[in-house]
Amino acid sequence: MELVDRLPGGRAVIGVEQEGEFMWLASKEHVSKQAVDEFTDQLTRIVNEGWWVQNWPGARA
């Protein structure tokens, strides 16, 4: 997750997929750095524990 100054349409978060990678962008107007850090920690934990895997063709194992 990456904090950005603002997102189109006043959105708080948006997911962006590019070349087999997925990134959450979060608006500084709506989401605190603490929230981003905690969300990133949680996502990292569930990915590392194998609870979340990519499911598109050519995904990395």
Side-chain angles (χ1 to χ4, degrees):
M1 181 173 255
E2 179 181 324
L3 272 175
V4 295
D5 289 332
R6 64 185 56 88
L7 292 170
R11 304 268 317 254
V13 295
I14 191 169
V16 179
E17 182 181 348
Q18 182 178 4
E19 297 180 12
E21 293 186 3
F22 190 87
M23 168 70 77
W24 287 104
L25 301 178
S27 170
K28 292 177 184 178
E29 296 175 321
H30 301 287
V31 181
S32 70
K33 175 150 178 19
Q34 178 181 350
V36 168
D37 291 345
E38 290 178 13
F39 185 71
T40 301
D41 288 345
Q42 291 295 314
L43 282 176
T44 300
R45 182 180 63 81
I46 66 173
V47 168
N48 287 341
E49 292 178 5
W51 292 24
W52 185 335
V53 295
Q54 297 302 337
N55 196 24
W56 57 66
R60 291 177 246 163

